[in-house]
């Protein structure tokens, strides 16, 4: 009956005499029999397991008996209430007069619900203490991926692409490598202190090196030693007083994008590096931050010529060289060569190269033209044969004007031959751009 119990009937009784438990049970069954019909007869209900046993507790004192009657019911609320009310019709218990009063109809399910709520609260508290959020899951997976990706190069913490990449990023410690790995940059290697290892020094002579260091005194010392024992092509610093490992993705990419050639770094205070105004107008240095997808992306932009020029001592120049044309120059048509002698300014030379660029590139001739230092034509041919013309030129050209896309192969041979400037229709994708060759497009002119 306990499994189907819904309600408990609680009733108190008082008898004017000494009675026992059997007397009370007999009175309950005897005096309610036939009172409510067959469907609510207590015996029938008990046999059908609709009502449980009648529990009685009796105490006697001073010639009277007191006690409590408890009956478990599986009936609905209405039938249970009717059955409870029938108990109050009992007038005698044994030989004694008695009164019965129903004190409570207890909903067993309500008590169970209360227990469920209390237990559920305990379980939820334990669950919340051990639960982890989606953010925690993402961070844990990302951390494991970063740790799995980090490798070693000659015993030093490094990204997985350091051994095979044409360009590397030198940082200070393992935490910096991990931070760059988190944002997909896999060609970083750490020096692990101010004492630059020989392996890093040797590697820096073979690759395009960007030193990406903390904005503190330690970063300056590492840069100086790396430049002494190895080779540094470009320099980038974290903001003053911060470390690379503390930077966000946007800050890291901005710092790499604003890198400058090592020659442009003031030895007295290299940390506050920023792109010069002229840098935005010249050609960008192609950054080589290698992403998690295994491809090179534009993570840093430099301006080798403009930044290098900013570190040189400015010599006094003539009014024409300073951009203020003389009356004679004002009468000449734009692009007309200056016949004023051998002291022609850079502007006059650039104007002459621009005239060749206008004739070759703007007109869409599909050719390449080699020029000497006075802008005289050394050779000309189809743009597709530009590599062979530059490589086989008897006299080293000072400038090359190309009506085609400038390729890495042509840029490399031009640097090897000592060409100072290349003007092309557009730039190609460069893995490494030599700082000795100035690259411009027709749009730059």
């Amino acid at each position: 009956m306990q499994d189907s119990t819904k309600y408990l009937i609680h009733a108190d009784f008082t008898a004017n005499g000494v009675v026992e438990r059997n007397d009370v049970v007999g009175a309950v069954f005897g005096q309610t029999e036939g009172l409510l019909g067959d469907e609510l007869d207590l015996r029938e209900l008990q046999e059908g397991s609709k009502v449980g046993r009648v529990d009685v507790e009796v105490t006697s004192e001073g010639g009277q008996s007191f006690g409590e009657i408890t009956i478990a019911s599986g009936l609905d609320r209405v039938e249970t209430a009717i059955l409870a009310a029938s108990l109050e019709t009992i007038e005698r218990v044994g030989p004694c007069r008695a009164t019965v009063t129903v004190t409570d109809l207890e909903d067993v399910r309500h008590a169970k619900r209360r227990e469920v709520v209390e237990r559920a609260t305990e379980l939820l508290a334990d669950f919340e203490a051990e639960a982890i959020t989606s953010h925690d899951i993402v961070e844990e997976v990302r951390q494991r991926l970063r740790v799995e990706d980090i490798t070693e190069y000659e015993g030093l913490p490094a990204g997985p692409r350091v051994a095979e990449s044409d360009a590397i990023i030198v940082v200070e410690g393992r935490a910096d490598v991990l931070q760059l790995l988190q944002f997909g940059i896999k060609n970083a290697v750490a020096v692990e202190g101010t004492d630059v290892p020989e392996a890093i020094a040797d590697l820096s002579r073979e690759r395009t090196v960007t030193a990406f260091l903390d904005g503190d005194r330690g970063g300056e010392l590492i840069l100086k030693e790396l430049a002494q024992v190895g080779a540094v092509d470009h320099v980038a610093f974290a903001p003053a007083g911060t470390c690379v490992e503390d930077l966000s993705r946007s800050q890291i990419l901005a710092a790499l994008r604003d890198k400058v050639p090592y020659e442009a770094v003031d030895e007295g205070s290299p940390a506050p590096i920023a792109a010069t105004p002229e840098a935005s107008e010249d050609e960008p240095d192609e950054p080589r931050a290698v992403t998690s997808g295994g491809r090179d992306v534009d993570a840093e932009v430099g301006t080798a010529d403009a930044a290098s020029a900013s570190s040189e001592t400015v010599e006094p120049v003539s009014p024409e060289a300073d951009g203020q044309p003389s009356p004679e120059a004002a009468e000449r048509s734009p692009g007309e060569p200056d016949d004023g002698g051998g002291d022609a300014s850079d502007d006059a030379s650039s104007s002459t190269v621009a005239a060749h660029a206008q004739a070759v590139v703007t007109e869409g001739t599909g050719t390449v033209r080699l020029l000497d230092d006075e802008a005289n034509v050394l050779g000309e041919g189809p743009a597709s044969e530009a590599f062979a013309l530059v490589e086989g030129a008897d006299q080293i050209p000072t400038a090359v004007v190309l009506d085609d896309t400038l390729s890495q192969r042509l840029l490399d041979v031009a640097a090897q031959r000592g060409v100072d400037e290349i003007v092309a229709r557009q730039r190609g994708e460069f893995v490494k751009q030599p700082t000795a060759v100035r690259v411009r497009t027709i749009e730059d002119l």
Side-chain angles (χ1 to χ4, degrees):
M1 177 61 199
Q2 291 181 353
D3 294 338
S4 60
T5 299
K6 298 179 182 178
Y7 307 99
L8 290 177
I9 302 173
H10 297 279
D12 293 336
F13 70 90
T14 302
N16 294 330
V18 177
V19 297
E20 295 181 350
R21 177 181 179 281
N22 294 336
D23 296 328
V24 178
V25 172
V28 169
F29 281 100
Q31 296 183 43
T32 59
E33 184 175 5
L35 180 64
L36 303 176
D38 294 339
E39 293 183 358
L40 292 178
D41 183 73
L42 193 56
R43 292 185 185 277
E44 296 292 337
L45 294 173
Q46 199 171 47
E47 291 176 359
S49 298
K50 296 293 184 66
V51 173
R53 63 193 301 266
V54 178
D55 292 327
V56 178
E57 295 180 0
V58 180
T59 57
S60 299
E61 182 179 350
Q64 288 186 325
S65 298
F66 309 91
E68 181 182 6
I69 303 170
T70 303
I71 302 175
S73 170
L75 304 172
D76 60 27
R77 288 183 296 178
V78 176
E79 293 173 334
T80 300
I82 293 173
L83 184 61
S86 68
L87 296 179
E88 295 187 346
T89 62
I90 297 174
E91 297 179 348
R92 301 184 67 85
V93 175
C96 307
R97 294 186 60 84
T99 57
V100 177
T101 303
V102 175
T103 58
D104 186 27
L105 291 179
E106 180 183 355
D107 189 343
V108 176
R109 293 173 299 179
H110 178 71
K112 290 182 178 180
R113 292 189 195 103
R114 186 169 55 251
E115 293 177 359
V116 168
V117 171
E118 293 175 354
R119 181 55 179 161
T121 303
E122 295 176 1
L123 293 174
L124 184 60
D126 295 340
F127 177 74
E128 290 292 341
E130 299 177 358
I132 88 177
T133 65
S134 58
H135 175 74
D136 295 333
I137 295 174
V138 171
E139 287 300 320
E140 183 176 353
V141 172
R142 180 176 293 165
Q143 178 65 24
R144 290 185 181 181
L145 180 62
R146 289 164 56 190
V147 173
E148 290 173 2
D149 276 347
I150 193 169
T151 59
E152 288 188 354
Y153 178 82
E154 299 293 338
L156 300 170
R161 295 293 304 279
V162 167
E164 59 189 44
S165 178
D166 294 325
I168 62 170
I169 299 175
V170 176
V171 294
E172 294 190 24
R174 178 185 178 89
D176 299 337
V177 176
L178 286 173
Q179 186 71 354
L180 267 62
L181 277 174
Q182 178 180 354
F183 303 124
I185 301 175
K186 296 193 172 187
N187 60 332
V189 60
V191 296
E192 292 283 76
T194 56
D195 185 12
V196 177
E198 184 178 352
I200 298 296
D202 294 340
L203 184 65
S204 67
R205 300 187 188 98
E206 304 170 358
R207 312 291 175 83
T208 300
V209 176
T210 296
F212 188 17
L213 305 171
D214 296 345
D216 55 17
R217 181 62 178 167
E220 298 177 16
L221 296 177
I222 292 175
L223 176 61
K224 289 182 178 180
E225 180 169 349
L226 181 60
Q228 292 175 5
V229 302
V232 181
D233 296 293
H234 304 97
V235 182
F237 277 94
T242 61
C243 300
V244 173
E245 62 186 279
D246 299 326
L247 301 183
S248 64
R249 174 185 174 85
S250 59
Q251 290 175 315
I252 287 176
L253 295 183
L256 291 174
R257 190 180 303 114
D258 295 336
K259 66 162 186 159
V260 297
Y262 174 71
E263 294 80 6
V265 178
D266 182 2
E267 295 182 359
S269 57
I273 295 175
T276 59
E278 295 81 5
S280 62
E281 299 177 2
D282 284 339
E283 73 284 2
D285 242 353
E286 294 296 330
R288 310 319 306 170
V290 182
T291 63
S292 57
R295 59 187 179 85
D296 293 341
V297 298
D298 183 10
E300 44 178 338
V301 177
T303 55
D305 293 320
S308 298
S310 66
S311 66
E312 297 175 356
T313 302
V314 179
E315 298 293 340
V317 295
S318 64
E320 289 186 18
D322 194 34
Q324 299 177 4
S326 63
E328 294 79 7
E331 296 176 359
R332 290 194 299 268
S333 61
E336 182 180 347
D338 186 2
D339 296 330
D343 294 334
S345 66
D346 289 343
D347 284 343
S349 176
S350 296
S351 175
T352 305
V353 173
H356 285 286
Q358 177 77 16
V360 174
V361 181
T362 306
E363 298 298 331
T365 61
T367 62
V368 60
R369 183 175 294 179
L370 311 185
L371 308 175
D372 63 10
D373 55 356
E374 295 182 356
N376 297 320
V377 178
L378 298 178
E380 189 170 356
S384 59
E385 300 177 5
F387 179 85
L389 288 173
V390 174
E391 184 180 37
D394 295 333
Q395 181 180 343
I396 299 175
T398 300
V400 176
V401 178
L402 175 68
D403 183 25
D404 200 356
T405 300
L406 178 59
S407 65
Q408 178 74 63
R409 185 165 175 258
L410 179 57
L411 180 59
D412 290 341
V413 74
Q416 293 171 5
R417 292 301 309 275
V419 175
D420 293 336
E421 180 179 12
I422 298 177
V423 178
R425 184 177 351 116
Q426 63 183 17
R427 294 184 184 87
E429 293 293 332
F430 304 142
V431 174
K432 178 178 180 180
Q433 180 174 334
T435 57
V437 182
R438 184 182 187 188
V439 178
R440 293 191 290 175
T441 65
I442 191 65
E443 294 180 357
D444 296 332
L445 297 178

